[in-house]
Structures are given as C-alpha cells and as structure tokens.
Amino acid sequence: MLNSVQKDLLKKHLGPFLFCFFTMMFILLMQFLMLHVDKLVGKGLPIMIVLELIVTNLAYMVVLAVPVAILVSTLMAFGKFSEWNELTAVRAAGINPFKLILPVLIAGTLLFAFTAYFSNLILPEANHKARSLFLDIRMQKPAFDLQESTFYQDLEGYTFLIKEIDAETDSLIDVRVFQAETDGRDRAVVSAERGWLDSPDQFTLSLFLENGSILRYLPGERRDDETVERSFFDRYRMSFDLSDLAFSRSNPDQRSRTDRTMSTEAMLAVVDSLRTERENEYRSFTENVSESDDIPIFSDVGRTLTLGETRELDTLRVYDSEFYSVNQLFNPTLQINSLNRAINAMDSYHADLDRFYTNNNWRTFKIAELLVEVHKKFSIPFACILFVLLGAPIGMLTRNGNIGVAALISSGILTLFFISIIQGEKLADRLLISPMTGMWAVNLVLLTAGVLLTLRVSTSFRLTNLWSRDQ
C-alpha cells in the first residue's frame, strides 16, 4: 500500500505529465502539418480523409511524447518536493528516498509496457494505414480550380483558359475551352465573352456560356480531309463529369508493408526467411564452385579426358606456358582449348561470385534494417524507466521544481538520447555496428548514470569512494 507521501508525490506528477504530453503532441502535430500541408491543399479532399490522416499519424507521436512527458514531470515533481524541504523531512524521519522513487518507477514500468505494446501492435497498423492514405492522396488529381490566364488541363479531354475572373460575382470573362477529339466527340474550340460555373451535385459540373462561338473540326472520308464548321450562340451549356477528380481509396491490405508497418513477430519471420535464403544461396554457390585445391573451379572431367586422348599431329609450335599442366599437353590445339576453357570458367566464376555477393549483401542489409526496427520498438519505450531513474535524483539534487529548469535539463538529456538513437540506427543500417548496440548503447549509458544518481541520493555511496583509500 502507498502511504500519504507517496500518493502526494504521484499526484504531483499528474499535472506536469499531462501538460507536457499534450504540449509535445501539439508540437509534433504542427511539425507534421507544416511538412505535409502542400500535399493536402488544392486537391478537394473530404475533411474526414484529412482528419483520418492526422489521427493515424498521431500514433508515432504518442510513442515519442510519453517518455518526454515522464522526464519533465519527474524532474518537476521531485524538484518541487526537494525545494519545499519535504525531502529533508523524509530523511530526518529515517525513510530512504528510494521508497519515494519506487512507486514512480513502477508507474514508469507500466507505461513502458503500454508504450511497448502500442509500438509493437498498434503503431505498425496506424503507419500502414497512413502510408496507404498518403499514396492515395499522392495519386489524387487536383480539384477543379481555374486560375486567370492559366491553362487548366486536369480534366481529361478538355483544356480551359480564362482571361479574367470577377472576384465579386465569380463570373468568367473571355472563356476558351479546347475540346479534344474522342470516339464520340469531334475536336472543337468553344469561345465566349463570359460564363459561370454551377455544380448540381458532387460529380457533375455545368459551364454556362454567353455570346460566343464554336469552332468544330469535322473529319472527312479521308484522313487528310477535314471540314471546319463555325457556329454562334447566345447561350450555351457544357456539362463535365468530375468523377475522375473524386477521391478514391485503395484497400490498405493489398499494399506491401515496410519495416515500420510490421510488428515484431512479422519482422522476425522475415529475418528468418532471409537468413534461410542466404544459407541456401551460399550452399548452392559452393556446390557449383568447388573449393578443392585440386579442382578450384568446377569443370566437366569427362570432356577433359576426351580432349586429352585426342592424338592429332599439329604443325603449330607448342606453347611454353608458366603453368605446369598446360606444358604437359604436347598438342598446341589442346593447350589453346585448355586455356580458353580456363578463361571461360573464370568468367563464369566471377559472374556467379558477383551475383552471390550482391544478393548476400542485400539480404544482410535488409536483415540489419529489420533488426534495428525490432530493437527500436523497445529501446524508445524503455526510456520511460530510464527517465524516472534519471529525473528523480536530478530533481532532488537541483532542488528546483520550476518548469524552466526542468525543460532546460530535459532538453539536454533528450538531445543526447534521440541523437544517439538516430545515429545508432544509421550506423547499424550500414553494418558498422550491430543493431542491438545501435539501439541500446545510449540506454545502457543513461541506465548506468541513473543507477549511480539514485544510489547517490538514497545511500551514502559516492563514485569517488571507489578510488579513495581507507585511512
């Protein structure tokens, strides 16, 4: 059971945690919108599609915001606890400060379990839906949006040119519509002094024109024969089908998945498959290319004996080779054939070796990328525990619960943490270090620092004691 002091300390975490969590979510959301707003505007997307895209991208923000909120709230709660001399009173009562940290550490462990579960099962599905939605939006044609003195060609079969648009009445001045030839329609150019648009429904657009003319190009019996027909009108209406401009969604399940849209189990299954393929290819390569010293390259022994038994008189001079086996052939034709076969075998060997090297490297790099993502799904959530071990003793030592101090200290720790994660991922992807080292090295460093600082505030242990001599 928790005592009153422990309960009070947990309550002091709640406010700063929620404030920092939603602040980080807001900052990350604004960053997302600034990066992708150009892909969303001007395409006539339904508001629900835009909201769904934002919601699906909130998943990765949750994984990043929870550890940050834990660090800031821990620094503020324990800093304020120490600032108000409550820590001094607890110590005077003979209570070990670690008992105050323990409930927060348990809460951090629970949040780690939740974040790891969220990162492993919910985040990949959200990423997959967001990626599929992004691809659908990228394929979406721009909405029907006419601009002054600018050709509009996104409606198939038509090109529009408007000289002027009246901002008050939305009237179109000096309208030209170029109509392309199709199976049931002749090529034509429609001109009018003015016009306006009306849309009776979502997929139909009507263009009303006044005081204009239509220039039609009528094909003749022969290909070169063409008749031009011109007619005038006082009022004319053109209707267009906008169904091609309507947003259409694809089935996300039909799209391939990347490492960031797969769960840990799925990625480990792919890793096992790639390792099996790599072993099978190596076995196949070594079977085709012998590693024996006597026969370094695979050859057809039967064919060699047949050529060796040939007894032909040749007037060519026997080639004096630096290879002992070639000098044993006293027929120069056999010598040339043997050298040619060796050259062909070496060319084939190099081609097989290059293919094996390329395929093996691709599989090795792919395995590394997948394993990096597997470790990252747990190394970032593990920061929920690390930041409690770091934030609690640092807050006690600084004796300041101000949000400015907490933000300053947090920015330094978070910069070190995320830069190390990003650089570790890059190095592991390039096979310079192992995936585990790349993702867990900074966690090990911060864990060591957190344990030492926790010992510092809860016991008489000092790191300098390790090098001091007993008097």
Side-chain angles (χ1 to χ4, degrees):
M1 290 293 295
L2 298 177
N3 56 43
S4 58
V5 178
Q6 292 172 328
K7 291 179 181 179
D8 180 65
L9 196 55
L10 284 175
K11 290 179 182 179
K12 289 180 179 179
H13 279 79
L14 185 59
F17 176 83
L18 293 177
F19 173 77
C20 183
F21 176 78
F22 287 111
T23 301
M24 281 299 302
M25 292 291 291
F26 176 77
I27 293 173
L28 292 172
L29 179 59
M30 291 299 102
Q31 181 190 40
F32 168 78
L33 293 177
M34 287 188 292
L35 288 174
H36 301 290
V37 66
D38 58 320
K39 302 174 185 175
L40 305 178
V41 298
K43 293 196 173 184
L45 296 173
I47 186 63
M48 294 306 297
I49 295 297
V50 177
L51 290 177
E52 182 179 352
L53 182 65
I54 292 175
V55 170
T56 53
N57 279 277
L58 288 176
Y60 82 88
M61 303 178 193
V62 171
V63 177
L64 297 177
V66 169
V68 174
I70 288 177
L71 177 60
V72 175
S73 62
T74 304
L75 285 169
M76 291 182 62
F78 281 96
K80 195 173 294 292
F81 189 81
S82 179
E83 182 181 5
W84 290 350
N85 294 320
E86 292 180 85
L87 179 62
T88 305
V90 167
R91 282 175 171 168
I95 301 175
N96 192 321
F98 183 74
K99 291 184 178 180
L100 303 176
I101 301 175
L102 186 59
V104 183
L105 186 61
I106 294 173
T109 304
L110 294 176
L111 284 174
F112 158 68
F114 164 76
T115 311
Y117 171 84
F118 187 92
S119 179
N120 185 38
L121 296 179
I122 300 177
L123 179 60
E125 293 301 322
N127 285 343
H128 185 59
K129 291 182 179 179
R131 178 174 173 267
S132 178
L133 202 54
F134 259 128
L135 293 175
D136 292 336
I137 292 173
R138 188 178 302 172
M139 298 298 294
Q140 170 70 9
K141 295 181 180 179
F144 192 84
D145 185 19
L146 298 176
Q147 303 292 334
E148 293 182 353
S149 302
T150 302
F151 285 101
Y152 179 86
Q153 299 174 317
D154 290 315
L155 193 62
E156 186 176 359
Y158 295 94
T159 300
F160 298 83
L161 179 61
I162 312 298
K163 184 176 181 180
E164 183 182 350
I165 300 177
D166 191 328
E168 295 182 359
T169 63
D170 287 335
S171 297
L172 311 177
I173 311 300
D174 194 0
V175 182
R176 282 179 174 80
V177 181
F178 301 89
Q179 177 179 286
E181 181 181 1
T182 61
D183 293 338
R185 187 178 61 201
D186 298 325
R187 185 163 64 96
V189 178
V190 182
S191 304
E193 292 181 2
R194 64 184 299 270
W196 66 92
L197 294 170
D198 184 31
S199 181
D201 56 61
Q202 183 179 0
F203 303 110
T204 304
L205 179 70
S206 295
L207 174 61
F208 294 91
L209 300 173
E210 291 183 345
N211 301 328
S213 64
I214 304 175
L215 202 62
R216 289 188 176 89
Y217 296 84
L218 306 177
E221 296 181 358
R222 293 185 301 176
R223 188 171 184 178
D224 296 335
D225 294 341
E226 190 175 53
T227 303
V228 179
E229 178 185 275
R230 186 173 188 181
S231 59
F232 297 88
F233 59 83
D234 293 329
R235 295 190 58 140
Y236 186 71
R237 174 182 174 179
M238 300 180 69
S239 295
F240 308 98
D241 183 10
L242 300 183
S243 58
D244 288 341
L245 300 182
F247 180 76
S248 60
R249 295 193 59 174
S250 61
N251 186 0
D253 295 334
Q254 295 178 351
R255 295 191 182 274
S256 61
R257 290 180 177 260
T258 63
D259 52 358
R260 301 201 174 183
T261 60
M262 299 169 66
S263 65
T264 299
E265 293 79 8
M267 285 189 287
L268 291 177
V270 175
V271 168
D272 289 339
S273 177
L274 289 172
R275 284 173 173 168
T276 301
E277 291 176 5
R278 189 172 59 180
E279 292 172 0
N280 291 337
E281 186 165 7
Y282 175 77
R283 190 180 302 110
S284 175
F285 176 74
T286 53
E287 288 175 357
N288 292 333
V289 182
S290 174
E291 294 183 342
S292 171
D293 294 335
D294 298 331
I295 310 177
I297 303 171
F298 176 79
S299 60
D300 189 345
V301 180
R303 183 183 174 197
T304 305
L305 291 175
T306 302
L307 291 172
E309 292 171 356
T310 302
R311 297 291 186 264
E312 294 182 1
L313 294 177
D314 201 311
T315 58
L316 295 175
R317 182 176 62 85
V318 176
Y319 177 69
D320 187 15
S321 173
E322 59 180 327
F323 299 106
Y324 176 79
S325 58
V326 175
N327 290 330
Q328 301 307 305
L329 300 174
F330 297 101
N331 188 326
T333 302
L334 292 179
Q335 289 182 323
I336 294 173
N337 290 339
S338 298
L339 291 173
N340 287 335
R341 288 202 309 274
I343 293 172
N344 291 335
M346 286 301 299
D347 290 341
S348 176
Y349 170 76
H350 281 299
D352 291 341
L353 181 61
D354 289 340
R355 183 167 55 252
F356 169 74
Y357 179 79
T358 301
N359 293 339
N360 185 73
N361 267 7
W362 178 84
R363 290 188 176 91
T364 303
F365 277 102
K366 191 64 178 178
I367 289 172
E369 291 177 2
L370 292 170
L371 290 179
V372 165
E373 200 64 31
V374 169
H375 286 290
K376 188 164 68 173
K377 287 184 180 297
F378 298 97
S379 63
I380 293 179
F382 188 72
C384 296
I385 298 175
L386 290 179
F387 290 161
V388 171
L389 291 174
L390 277 174
I394 291 176
M396 292 179 182
L397 293 173
T398 56
R399 302 176 65 84
N400 193 322
N402 186 277
I403 189 172
V405 175
L408 182 64
I409 297 174
S410 299
S411 62
I413 296 175
L414 293 172
T415 300
L416 171 64
F417 179 77
F418 284 111
I419 286 181
S420 300
I421 289 289
I422 293 171
Q423 295 303 318
E425 181 178 2
K426 291 181 179 179
L427 293 174
D429 285 341
R430 298 172 187 172
L431 302 181
L432 298 177
I433 58 177
S434 68
M436 177 176 285
T437 302
M439 292 295 97
W440 290 97
V442 65
N443 286 358
L444 181 61
V445 172
L446 295 180
L447 179 63
T448 303
V451 170
L452 292 176
L453 287 173
T454 302
L455 291 175
R456 168 74 172 76
V457 299
S458 59
T459 67
S460 60
F461 172 80
R462 300 293 182 272
L463 191 61
T464 54
N465 294 345
L466 298 176
W467 291 276
S468 62
R469 293 184 178 180
D470 297 333
Q471 299 296 328

